[in-house]
Amino acid sequence: MTMPDIQPTVLVLTALPLEYAAVRAHVEEREERVHRDGTRVEVGRLTSTSWQVALAELGMGAERTAALTTQLIHWLRPEAVLFVGVAGSLKDDVGIGDVVVGTKVYEIYGGKQTPDGFLVRPEALPGSHALEQAARSAVRDMPDVRAHFMPIATGDVVLADAESEIARFIRRNYNDAGAIEMEGSGALQAAHLSGQLNALVIRGISDRADAGKHQADASGSQQSAAEQAAAVTVAVLHKHRPREGSTDSEEEPQGATYGGDHVDFRSGTFHGPVTGKAGERR
């Protein structure tokens, strides 16, 4: 029986309408699909690639993101998950308009409160090595993009005061983080628990997470930051190859393989019943 030719899917997630629109501008032949629980995606083609993009706007917050990302992964079975959007800078050398690619993402609230103070128990998930390498390669040919590869902090807080207690807490305990946002850890956690999918967070810097946030937002910095993050995302997907397209000798073949007296599904995903017939051993 010949298996149908199914175009590989990448799930691209956003929180805000302007982030969604920035990615959507790169996706052609879009068709809206609705999950039985109401979550909507637009599925379309990314020009000059083998990728089918499923684009979703999930709203704000890591917990919400984790739940909806899990739902979408189970529904669409993507090969990769990317969370794309804007963030606030936590470093002097990470400027507005720059892009931060998350080498790992911190969930900043874990810890234990004791009489001696709050003891931090960091929770960190790494971004996909393959996607990170694709991003490093892609931005070399993007002279208009200043990219940083560093950790990102996730917290359910809009940080607009660099001298606040939460800002000092982040500098004290997550001092290598280059940006702060609200959804990345949820997306990576869902991807990790759903089978070690390739996942990455890409954020354009729209403000410095300080008292100047309102002025930066009013100047249109969120729009330009979202467009920069979307441009890097598209460049990553032009570099990153779907599994089905790989012919590298060092990569194991994907899907089911016949080994004489057994079928090997270790490198692929199979949905449906399997009927086996024992044969005489020689």
Side-chain angles (χ1 to χ4, degrees):
M1 180 177 66
T2 302
M3 296 298 291
D5 183 17
I6 301 175
Q7 191 174 9
T9 298
V10 57
L11 180 59
V12 179
L13 306 173
T14 66
L16 304 174
L18 60 86
E19 298 166 343
Y20 186 96
V23 178
R24 190 177 192 255
H26 298 275
V27 181
E28 299 180 341
E29 300 174 13
R30 298 181 303 273
E31 176 187 353
E32 188 172 75
R33 300 182 188 174
V34 185
H35 186 269
R36 64 185 181 186
D37 293 331
T39 307
R40 293 175 181 263
V41 299
E42 278 191 299
V43 179
R45 183 172 58 87
L46 189 63
T47 307
S48 302
T49 75
S50 300
W51 289 111
Q52 174 177 262
V53 174
L55 179 60
E57 180 187 334
L58 301 184
M60 297 170 63
E63 185 174 333
R64 176 187 179 89
T65 296
L68 293 177
T69 301
T70 299
Q71 178 191 93
L72 293 175
I73 288 172
H74 290 166
W75 178 31
L76 299 169
R77 305 287 182 180
E79 284 194 19
V81 177
L82 293 163
F83 203 102
V84 183
V86 302
S89 170
L90 294 174
K91 297 286 187 183
D92 290 341
D93 61 343
V94 178
I96 293 175
D98 292 359
V99 174
V100 176
V101 178
T103 54
K104 59 184 172 182
V105 175
Y106 292 122
E107 198 290 311
I108 65 173
Y109 294 122
K112 180 181 181 180
Q113 186 66 52
T114 74
D116 296 323
F118 187 76
L119 305 180
V120 175
R121 294 178 176 175
E123 178 77 22
L125 286 168
S128 159
H129 171 69
L131 288 174
E132 180 193 324
Q133 284 288 298
R136 290 181 184 274
S137 176
V139 298
R140 294 182 192 125
D141 297 319
M142 301 179 74
D144 295 332
V145 174
R146 187 165 181 257
H148 308 266
F149 292 81
M150 58 202 319
I152 292 173
T154 296
D156 281 338
V157 58
V158 176
L159 186 56
D161 182 359
E163 301 307 317
S164 63
E165 178 56 34
I166 186 66
R168 291 194 293 269
F169 171 82
I170 293 169
R171 286 196 296 269
R172 185 167 60 248
N173 296 292
Y174 304 95
N175 59 79
D176 58 342
I180 183 168
E181 43 90 275
M182 298 177 68
E183 296 83 26
S185 67
L188 259 60
Q189 186 76 276
H192 173 73
L193 294 177
S194 297
Q196 302 287 352
L197 291 172
N198 282 323
L200 195 67
V201 178
I202 300 175
R203 293 284 185 171
I205 299 300
S206 59
D207 61 80
R208 290 192 169 276
D210 60 11
K213 175 176 171 53
H214 177 72
Q215 289 83 355
D217 291 349
S219 72
S221 64
Q222 284 194 334
Q223 181 68 42
S224 58
E227 291 172 355
Q228 287 285 75
V232 171
T233 298
V234 170
V236 168
L237 292 175
H238 277 84
K239 289 281 185 177
H240 183 64
R241 206 168 38 179
R243 287 194 298 264
E244 287 82 357
S246 176
T247 57
D248 289 351
S249 60
E250 301 215 354
E251 292 186 7
E252 293 186 3
Q254 304 299 316
T257 59
Y258 180 64
D261 60 355
H262 69 282
V263 180
D264 187 351
F265 291 102
R266 288 175 298 176
S267 299
T269 301
F270 180 81
H271 305 285
V274 175
T275 303
K277 180 179 180 181
E280 181 182 354
R281 290 186 177 274
R282 294 182 176 87

mmCIF file of all heavy atoms in Angstrom, residues 106-153:
data_model
loop_
_atom_site.group_PDB
_atom_site.id
_atom_site.type_symbol
_atom_site.label_atom_id
_atom_site.label_comp_id
_atom_site.label_asym_id
_atom_site.label_seq_id
_atom_site.Cartn_x
_atom_site.Cartn_y
_atom_site.Cartn_z
ATOM 1 N N TYR A 106 14.067 29.970 31.046
ATOM 2 C CA TYR A 106 13.850 29.826 32.485
ATOM 3 C C TYR A 106 12.386 30.074 32.840
ATOM 4 O O TYR A 106 11.777 31.029 32.348
ATOM 5 C CB TYR A 106 14.669 30.855 33.263
ATOM 6 C CG TYR A 106 16.162 30.676 33.226
ATOM 7 C CD1 TYR A 106 16.977 31.706 32.750
ATOM 8 C CD2 TYR A 106 16.768 29.518 33.686
ATOM 9 C CE1 TYR A 106 18.360 31.582 32.744
ATOM 10 C CE2 TYR A 106 18.147 29.377 33.674
ATOM 11 C CZ TYR A 106 18.936 30.412 33.196
ATOM 12 O OH TYR A 106 20.301 30.296 33.181
ATOM 13 N N GLU A 107 11.847 29.249 33.711
ATOM 14 C CA GLU A 107 10.590 29.548 34.389
ATOM 15 C C GLU A 107 10.987 30.123 35.744
ATOM 16 O O GLU A 107 11.571 29.423 36.564
ATOM 17 C CB GLU A 107 9.757 28.277 34.538
ATOM 18 C CG GLU A 107 8.278 28.523 34.830
ATOM 19 C CD GLU A 107 8.026 29.070 36.223
ATOM 20 O OE1 GLU A 107 8.560 28.509 37.204
ATOM 21 O OE2 GLU A 107 7.304 30.073 36.338
ATOM 22 N N ILE A 108 10.706 31.406 35.991
ATOM 23 C CA ILE A 108 11.427 32.124 37.043
ATOM 24 C C ILE A 108 10.824 32.017 38.441
ATOM 25 O O ILE A 108 11.410 32.535 39.391
ATOM 26 C CB ILE A 108 11.578 33.622 36.682
ATOM 27 C CG1 ILE A 108 10.206 34.301 36.627
ATOM 28 C CG2 ILE A 108 12.321 33.779 35.374
ATOM 29 C CD1 ILE A 108 10.279 35.812 36.453
ATOM 30 N N TYR A 109 9.676 31.361 38.610
ATOM 31 C CA TYR A 109 9.016 31.422 39.904
ATOM 32 C C TYR A 109 9.278 30.227 40.820
ATOM 33 O O TYR A 109 8.829 30.215 41.957
ATOM 34 C CB TYR A 109 7.499 31.580 39.721
ATOM 35 C CG TYR A 109 7.125 32.893 39.089
ATOM 36 C CD1 TYR A 109 6.396 32.921 37.901
ATOM 37 C CD2 TYR A 109 7.520 34.104 39.647
ATOM 38 C CE1 TYR A 109 6.052 34.122 37.314
ATOM 39 C CE2 TYR A 109 7.188 35.300 39.057
ATOM 40 C CZ TYR A 109 6.449 35.310 37.895
ATOM 41 O OH TYR A 109 6.126 36.497 37.307
ATOM 42 N N GLY A 110 9.944 29.196 40.337
ATOM 43 C CA GLY A 110 10.134 28.013 41.166
ATOM 44 C C GLY A 110 11.061 28.268 42.355
ATOM 45 O O GLY A 110 12.101 28.929 42.234
ATOM 46 N N GLY A 111 10.701 27.756 43.527
ATOM 47 C CA GLY A 111 11.558 27.915 44.685
ATOM 48 C C GLY A 111 10.877 27.524 45.974
ATOM 49 O O GLY A 111 9.782 26.953 45.989
ATOM 50 N N LYS A 112 11.534 27.833 47.077
ATOM 51 C CA LYS A 112 11.033 27.512 48.412
ATOM 52 C C LYS A 112 11.223 28.717 49.324
ATOM 53 O O LYS A 112 12.327 29.269 49.432
ATOM 54 C CB LYS A 112 11.780 26.302 48.981
ATOM 55 C CG LYS A 112 11.336 25.891 50.372
ATOM 56 C CD LYS A 112 12.144 24.695 50.859
ATOM 57 C CE LYS A 112 11.695 24.254 52.254
ATOM 58 N NZ LYS A 112 12.484 23.094 52.747
ATOM 59 N N GLN A 113 10.131 29.112 49.967
ATOM 60 C CA GLN A 113 10.198 30.221 50.913
ATOM 61 C C GLN A 113 10.587 29.684 52.283
ATOM 62 O O GLN A 113 9.943 28.784 52.810
ATOM 63 C CB GLN A 113 8.857 30.938 50.992
ATOM 64 C CG GLN A 113 8.886 32.196 51.840
ATOM 65 C CD GLN A 113 9.767 33.288 51.238
ATOM 66 O OE1 GLN A 113 9.600 33.635 50.070
ATOM 67 N NE2 GLN A 113 10.703 33.804 52.013
ATOM 68 N N THR A 114 11.661 30.200 52.844
ATOM 69 C CA THR A 114 12.151 29.762 54.156
ATOM 70 C C THR A 114 12.318 30.981 55.067
ATOM 71 O O THR A 114 12.264 32.123 54.605
ATOM 72 C CB THR A 114 13.506 29.048 54.018
ATOM 73 O OG1 THR A 114 14.531 30.025 53.759
ATOM 74 C CG2 THR A 114 13.483 28.016 52.902
ATOM 75 N N PRO A 115 12.515 30.765 56.367
ATOM 76 C CA PRO A 115 12.774 31.896 57.267
ATOM 77 C C PRO A 115 13.993 32.712 56.866
ATOM 78 O O PRO A 115 14.106 33.893 57.215
ATOM 79 C CB PRO A 115 12.983 31.218 58.623
ATOM 80 C CG PRO A 115 12.218 29.944 58.524
ATOM 81 C CD PRO A 115 12.374 29.501 57.110
ATOM 82 N N ASP A 116 14.904 32.086 56.122
ATOM 83 C CA ASP A 116 16.105 32.799 55.674
ATOM 84 C C ASP A 116 15.934 33.466 54.320
ATOM 85 O O ASP A 116 16.875 34.060 53.798
ATOM 86 C CB ASP A 116 17.286 31.813 55.594
ATOM 87 C CG ASP A 116 17.640 31.240 56.955
ATOM 88 O OD1 ASP A 116 17.560 31.984 57.954
ATOM 89 O OD2 ASP A 116 17.976 30.041 57.009
ATOM 90 N N GLY A 117 14.732 33.358 53.768
ATOM 91 C CA GLY A 117 14.480 33.974 52.478
ATOM 92 C C GLY A 117 14.014 32.974 51.447
ATOM 93 O O GLY A 117 13.783 31.796 51.747
ATOM 94 N N PHE A 118 13.879 33.441 50.217
ATOM 95 C CA PHE A 118 13.388 32.607 49.122
ATOM 96 C C PHE A 118 14.559 31.888 48.477
ATOM 97 O O PHE A 118 15.512 32.511 48.007
ATOM 98 C CB PHE A 118 12.662 33.469 48.093
ATOM 99 C CG PHE A 118 11.979 32.679 47.009
ATOM 100 C CD1 PHE A 118 10.784 32.022 47.267
ATOM 101 C CD2 PHE A 118 12.522 32.602 45.741
ATOM 102 C CE1 PHE A 118 10.136 31.299 46.268
ATOM 103 C CE2 PHE A 118 11.890 31.885 44.733
ATOM 104 C CZ PHE A 118 10.691 31.227 45.009
ATOM 105 N N LEU A 119 14.489 30.567 48.467
ATOM 106 C CA LEU A 119 15.523 29.748 47.850
ATOM 107 C C LEU A 119 15.062 29.345 46.453
ATOM 108 O O LEU A 119 14.059 28.647 46.299
ATOM 109 C CB LEU A 119 15.792 28.498 48.692
ATOM 110 C CG LEU A 119 16.151 28.756 50.166
ATOM 111 C CD1 LEU A 119 16.398 27.439 50.886
ATOM 112 C CD2 LEU A 119 17.370 29.675 50.267
ATOM 113 N N VAL A 120 15.788 29.798 45.451
ATOM 114 C CA VAL A 120 15.392 29.572 44.065
ATOM 115 C C VAL A 120 15.677 28.136 43.652
ATOM 116 O O VAL A 120 16.730 27.573 43.969
ATOM 117 C CB VAL A 120 16.147 30.539 43.130
ATOM 118 C CG1 VAL A 120 15.849 30.233 41.664
ATOM 119 C CG2 VAL A 120 15.756 31.967 43.448
ATOM 120 N N ARG A 121 14.708 27.551 42.964
ATOM 121 C CA ARG A 121 14.876 26.232 42.358
ATOM 122 C C ARG A 121 14.637 26.396 40.851
ATOM 123 O O ARG A 121 13.525 26.214 40.361
ATOM 124 C CB ARG A 121 13.899 25.230 42.959
ATOM 125 C CG ARG A 121 14.178 24.950 44.433
ATOM 126 C CD ARG A 121 13.156 23.991 45.028
ATOM 127 N NE ARG A 121 13.487 23.660 46.411
ATOM 128 C CZ ARG A 121 12.722 22.918 47.212
ATOM 129 N NH1 ARG A 121 11.567 22.442 46.766
ATOM 130 N NH2 ARG A 121 13.104 22.656 48.442
ATOM 131 N N PRO A 122 15.684 26.727 40.123
ATOM 132 C CA PRO A 122 15.511 27.066 38.709
ATOM 133 C C PRO A 122 14.959 25.912 37.885
ATOM 134 O O PRO A 122 15.351 24.762 38.056
ATOM 135 C CB PRO A 122 16.938 27.417 38.253
ATOM 136 C CG PRO A 122 17.664 27.771 39.517
ATOM 137 C CD PRO A 122 17.077 26.891 40.572
ATOM 138 N N GLU A 123 14.051 26.243 37.010
ATOM 139 C CA GLU A 123 13.513 25.313 36.028
ATOM 140 C C GLU A 123 13.897 25.858 34.657
ATOM 141 O O GLU A 123 13.542 26.981 34.302
ATOM 142 C CB GLU A 123 11.992 25.220 36.139
ATOM 143 C CG GLU A 123 11.326 24.306 35.132
ATOM 144 C CD GLU A 123 11.458 22.839 35.469
ATOM 145 O OE1 GLU A 123 11.686 22.534 36.658
ATOM 146 O OE2 GLU A 123 11.331 22.010 34.562
ATOM 147 N N ALA A 124 14.669 25.093 33.910
ATOM 148 C CA ALA A 124 15.141 25.557 32.613
ATOM 149 C C ALA A 124 15.014 24.447 31.588
ATOM 150 O O ALA A 124 15.320 23.289 31.868
ATOM 151 C CB ALA A 124 16.592 26.027 32.693
ATOM 152 N N LEU A 125 14.556 24.805 30.402
ATOM 153 C CA LEU A 125 14.462 23.863 29.297
ATOM 154 C C LEU A 125 15.279 24.398 28.126
ATOM 155 O O LEU A 125 15.182 25.576 27.774
ATOM 156 C CB LEU A 125 13.010 23.688 28.860
ATOM 157 C CG LEU A 125 12.124 22.871 29.804
ATOM 158 C CD1 LEU A 125 10.666 23.016 29.414
ATOM 159 C CD2 LEU A 125 12.523 21.399 29.766
ATOM 160 N N PRO A 126 16.107 23.551 27.518
ATOM 161 C CA PRO A 126 16.920 24.020 26.390
ATOM 162 C C PRO A 126 16.110 24.128 25.119
ATOM 163 O O PRO A 126 15.145 23.385 24.906
ATOM 164 C CB PRO A 126 17.981 22.913 26.266
ATOM 165 C CG PRO A 126 17.290 21.677 26.759
ATOM 166 C CD PRO A 126 16.369 22.135 27.860
ATOM 167 N N GLY A 127 16.499 25.058 24.266
ATOM 168 C CA GLY A 127 15.953 25.092 22.931
ATOM 169 C C GLY A 127 16.568 23.981 22.090
ATOM 170 O O GLY A 127 17.602 23.407 22.443
ATOM 171 N N SER A 128 15.926 23.661 20.985
ATOM 172 C CA SER A 128 16.418 22.617 20.099
ATOM 173 C C SER A 128 17.799 22.965 19.541
ATOM 174 O O SER A 128 18.013 24.055 19.009
ATOM 175 C CB SER A 128 15.435 22.439 18.934
ATOM 176 O OG SER A 128 16.046 21.826 17.826
ATOM 177 N N HIS A 129 18.728 22.019 19.653
ATOM 178 C CA HIS A 129 20.067 22.233 19.097
ATOM 179 C C HIS A 129 20.000 22.422 17.582
ATOM 180 O O HIS A 129 20.645 23.316 17.024
ATOM 181 C CB HIS A 129 20.963 21.042 19.436
ATOM 182 C CG HIS A 129 22.284 21.066 18.738
ATOM 183 N ND1 HIS A 129 23.265 21.992 19.024
ATOM 184 C CD2 HIS A 129 22.778 20.282 17.730
ATOM 185 C CE1 HIS A 129 24.318 21.780 18.243
ATOM 186 N NE2 HIS A 129 24.047 20.760 17.455
ATOM 187 N N ALA A 130 19.205 21.586 16.915
ATOM 188 C CA ALA A 130 19.110 21.663 15.449
ATOM 189 C C ALA A 130 18.544 23.006 14.994
ATOM 190 O O ALA A 130 19.052 23.628 14.048
ATOM 191 C CB ALA A 130 18.257 20.520 14.919
ATOM 192 N N LEU A 131 17.479 23.477 15.673
ATOM 193 C CA LEU A 131 16.894 24.762 15.303
ATOM 194 C C LEU A 131 17.820 25.916 15.660
ATOM 195 O O LEU A 131 17.900 26.915 14.921
ATOM 196 C CB LEU A 131 15.539 24.928 15.983
ATOM 197 C CG LEU A 131 14.409 24.057 15.443
ATOM 198 C CD1 LEU A 131 13.152 24.222 16.307
ATOM 199 C CD2 LEU A 131 14.090 24.395 13.990
ATOM 200 N N GLU A 132 18.499 25.812 16.789
ATOM 201 C CA GLU A 132 19.446 26.866 17.163
ATOM 202 C C GLU A 132 20.570 26.969 16.137
ATOM 203 O O GLU A 132 20.976 28.066 15.741
ATOM 204 C CB GLU A 132 20.022 26.588 18.547
ATOM 205 C CG GLU A 132 21.023 27.642 18.995
ATOM 206 C CD GLU A 132 21.827 27.221 20.214
ATOM 207 O OE1 GLU A 132 21.271 26.542 21.106
ATOM 208 O OE2 GLU A 132 23.022 27.565 20.267
ATOM 209 N N GLN A 133 21.080 25.817 15.690
ATOM 210 C CA GLN A 133 22.126 25.828 14.679
ATOM 211 C C GLN A 133 21.618 26.428 13.364
ATOM 212 O O GLN A 133 22.339 27.187 12.697
ATOM 213 C CB GLN A 133 22.622 24.400 14.447
ATOM 214 C CG GLN A 133 23.530 23.886 15.542
ATOM 215 C CD GLN A 133 24.898 24.562 15.507
ATOM 216 O OE1 GLN A 133 25.631 24.445 14.523
ATOM 217 N NE2 GLN A 133 25.233 25.283 16.562
ATOM 218 N N ALA A 134 20.385 26.108 13.011
ATOM 219 C CA ALA A 134 19.798 26.708 11.808
ATOM 220 C C ALA A 134 19.691 28.215 11.957
ATOM 221 O O ALA A 134 19.937 28.967 11.002
ATOM 222 C CB ALA A 134 18.425 26.095 11.537
ATOM 223 N N ALA A 135 19.334 28.678 13.157
ATOM 224 C CA ALA A 135 19.233 30.119 13.398
ATOM 225 C C ALA A 135 20.593 30.794 13.314
ATOM 226 O O ALA A 135 20.732 31.875 12.722
ATOM 227 C CB ALA A 135 18.601 30.370 14.761
ATOM 228 N N ARG A 136 21.612 30.169 13.895
ATOM 229 C CA ARG A 136 22.955 30.753 13.836
ATOM 230 C C ARG A 136 23.422 30.884 12.388
ATOM 231 O O ARG A 136 24.033 31.891 11.998
ATOM 232 C CB ARG A 136 23.937 29.903 14.641
ATOM 233 C CG ARG A 136 23.732 29.972 16.146
ATOM 234 C CD ARG A 136 24.760 29.123 16.892
ATOM 235 N NE ARG A 136 24.529 29.103 18.327
ATOM 236 C CZ ARG A 136 24.981 30.013 19.193
ATOM 237 N NH1 ARG A 136 25.720 31.018 18.745
ATOM 238 N NH2 ARG A 136 24.721 29.912 20.485
ATOM 239 N N SER A 137 23.147 29.860 11.599
ATOM 240 C CA SER A 137 23.512 29.903 10.187
ATOM 241 C C SER A 137 22.715 30.971 9.430
ATOM 242 O O SER A 137 23.271 31.725 8.627
ATOM 243 C CB SER A 137 23.276 28.525 9.560
ATOM 244 O OG SER A 137 23.525 28.540 8.176
ATOM 245 N N ALA A 138 21.408 31.039 9.718
ATOM 246 C CA ALA A 138 20.541 31.957 8.984
ATOM 247 C C ALA A 138 20.918 33.414 9.201
ATOM 248 O O ALA A 138 20.958 34.204 8.250
ATOM 249 C CB ALA A 138 19.089 31.709 9.374
ATOM 250 N N VAL A 139 21.178 33.798 10.453
ATOM 251 C CA VAL A 139 21.385 35.228 10.735
ATOM 252 C C VAL A 139 22.721 35.735 10.215
ATOM 253 O O VAL A 139 22.911 36.952 10.095
ATOM 254 C CB VAL A 139 21.243 35.526 12.247
ATOM 255 C CG1 VAL A 139 19.845 35.187 12.736
ATOM 256 C CG2 VAL A 139 22.299 34.792 13.069
ATOM 257 N N ARG A 140 23.632 34.831 9.864
ATOM 258 C CA ARG A 140 24.894 35.277 9.264
ATOM 259 C C ARG A 140 24.668 35.991 7.941
ATOM 260 O O ARG A 140 25.485 36.817 7.528
ATOM 261 C CB ARG A 140 25.828 34.079 9.053
ATOM 262 C CG ARG A 140 26.301 33.413 10.333
ATOM 263 C CD ARG A 140 27.263 32.268 10.053
ATOM 264 N NE ARG A 140 27.461 31.490 11.269
ATOM 265 C CZ ARG A 140 27.266 30.181 11.370
ATOM 266 N NH1 ARG A 140 26.871 29.494 10.309
ATOM 267 N NH2 ARG A 140 27.469 29.552 12.505
ATOM 268 N N ASP A 141 23.578 35.642 7.287
ATOM 269 C CA ASP A 141 23.258 36.251 5.997
ATOM 270 C C ASP A 141 22.137 37.275 6.111
ATOM 271 O O ASP A 141 21.475 37.595 5.112
ATOM 272 C CB ASP A 141 22.864 35.158 4.998
ATOM 273 C CG ASP A 141 24.007 34.198 4.713
ATOM 274 O OD1 ASP A 141 25.151 34.664 4.587
ATOM 275 O OD2 ASP A 141 23.746 32.974 4.641
ATOM 276 N N MET A 142 21.917 37.787 7.334
ATOM 277 C CA MET A 142 20.885 38.800 7.554
ATOM 278 C C MET A 142 21.543 40.039 8.170
ATOM 279 O O MET A 142 21.509 40.243 9.392
ATOM 280 C CB MET A 142 19.792 38.244 8.480
ATOM 281 C CG MET A 142 19.115 36.988 7.941
ATOM 282 S SD MET A 142 17.851 36.311 9.065
ATOM 283 C CE MET A 142 16.528 37.516 8.840
ATOM 284 N N PRO A 143 22.158 40.875 7.335
ATOM 285 C CA PRO A 143 22.902 42.025 7.860
ATOM 286 C C PRO A 143 22.045 43.030 8.618
ATOM 287 O O PRO A 143 22.574 43.822 9.416
ATOM 288 C CB PRO A 143 23.516 42.657 6.605
ATOM 289 C CG PRO A 143 22.659 42.176 5.476
ATOM 290 C CD PRO A 143 22.212 40.807 5.869
ATOM 291 N N ASP A 144 20.731 43.020 8.390
ATOM 292 C CA ASP A 144 19.854 43.968 9.073
ATOM 293 C C ASP A 144 19.348 43.447 10.415
ATOM 294 O O ASP A 144 18.549 44.121 11.079
ATOM 295 C CB ASP A 144 18.652 44.294 8.185
ATOM 296 C CG ASP A 144 19.058 45.027 6.917
ATOM 297 O OD1 ASP A 144 20.089 45.724 6.941
ATOM 298 O OD2 ASP A 144 18.349 44.883 5.898
ATOM 299 N N VAL A 145 19.808 42.271 10.808
ATOM 300 C CA VAL A 145 19.362 41.673 12.077
ATOM 301 C C VAL A 145 20.547 41.544 13.019
ATOM 302 O O VAL A 145 21.587 40.973 12.662
ATOM 303 C CB VAL A 145 18.736 40.290 11.853
ATOM 304 C CG1 VAL A 145 18.422 39.617 13.179
ATOM 305 C CG2 VAL A 145 17.471 40.412 11.000
ATOM 306 N N ARG A 146 20.386 42.079 14.217
ATOM 307 C CA ARG A 146 21.386 41.888 15.271
ATOM 308 C C ARG A 146 20.831 40.832 16.224
ATOM 309 O O ARG A 146 19.884 41.091 16.968
ATOM 310 C CB ARG A 146 21.641 43.198 16.005
ATOM 311 C CG ARG A 146 22.792 43.124 17.005
ATOM 312 C CD ARG A 146 23.236 44.530 17.413
ATOM 313 N NE ARG A 146 24.348 44.487 18.343
ATOM 314 C CZ ARG A 146 24.251 44.693 19.649
ATOM 315 N NH1 ARG A 146 23.053 44.990 20.177
ATOM 316 N NH2 ARG A 146 25.306 44.641 20.437
ATOM 317 N N ALA A 147 21.402 39.644 16.179
ATOM 318 C CA ALA A 147 20.862 38.506 16.917
ATOM 319 C C ALA A 147 21.753 38.152 18.096
ATOM 320 O O ALA A 147 22.977 38.292 18.045
ATOM 321 C CB ALA A 147 20.703 37.307 15.998
ATOM 322 N N HIS A 148 21.102 37.677 19.163
ATOM 323 C CA HIS A 148 21.793 37.211 20.366
ATOM 324 C C HIS A 148 21.296 35.805 20.680
ATOM 325 O O HIS A 148 20.093 35.536 20.633
ATOM 326 C CB HIS A 148 21.490 38.124 21.557
ATOM 327 C CG HIS A 148 21.743 39.582 21.287
ATOM 328 N ND1 HIS A 148 22.933 40.208 21.596
ATOM 329 C CD2 HIS A 148 20.950 40.533 20.723
ATOM 330 C CE1 HIS A 148 22.865 41.489 21.240
ATOM 331 N NE2 HIS A 148 21.666 41.704 20.713
ATOM 332 N N PHE A 149 22.221 34.934 21.017
ATOM 333 C CA PHE A 149 21.881 33.568 21.402
ATOM 334 C C PHE A 149 22.155 33.430 22.895
ATOM 335 O O PHE A 149 23.307 33.358 23.325
ATOM 336 C CB PHE A 149 22.687 32.571 20.574
ATOM 337 C CG PHE A 149 22.294 32.574 19.122
ATOM 338 C CD1 PHE A 149 22.784 33.538 18.259
ATOM 339 C CD2 PHE A 149 21.401 31.640 18.633
ATOM 340 C CE1 PHE A 149 22.400 33.565 16.922
ATOM 341 C CE2 PHE A 149 21.011 31.647 17.301
ATOM 342 C CZ PHE A 149 21.510 32.616 16.451
ATOM 343 N N MET A 150 21.079 33.422 23.664
ATOM 344 C CA MET A 150 21.216 33.463 25.113
ATOM 345 C C MET A 150 19.909 33.021 25.771
ATOM 346 O O MET A 150 18.878 32.897 25.103
ATOM 347 C CB MET A 150 21.604 34.874 25.567
ATOM 348 C CG MET A 150 20.642 35.960 25.156
ATOM 349 S SD MET A 150 21.400 37.639 25.137
ATOM 350 C CE MET A 150 22.408 37.645 26.597
ATOM 351 N N PRO A 151 19.937 32.761 27.083
ATOM 352 C CA PRO A 151 18.709 32.353 27.772
ATOM 353 C C PRO A 151 17.655 33.452 27.780
ATOM 354 O O PRO A 151 17.959 34.645 27.696
ATOM 355 C CB PRO A 151 19.197 32.042 29.196
ATOM 356 C CG PRO A 151 20.650 31.745 29.052
ATOM 357 C CD PRO A 151 21.132 32.654 27.956
ATOM 358 N N ILE A 152 16.400 33.004 27.890
ATOM 359 C CA ILE A 152 15.244 33.880 27.997
ATOM 360 C C ILE A 152 14.508 33.541 29.282
ATOM 361 O O ILE A 152 14.397 32.369 29.642
ATOM 362 C CB ILE A 152 14.310 33.704 26.784
ATOM 363 C CG1 ILE A 152 14.979 34.238 25.507
ATOM 364 C CG2 ILE A 152 12.968 34.392 26.999
ATOM 365 C CD1 ILE A 152 14.213 33.946 24.238
ATOM 366 N N ALA A 153 14.030 34.548 29.992
ATOM 367 C CA ALA A 153 13.254 34.340 31.223
ATOM 368 C C ALA A 153 11.768 34.454 30.910
ATOM 369 O O ALA A 153 11.341 35.372 30.210
ATOM 370 C CB ALA A 153 13.641 35.375 32.276
#
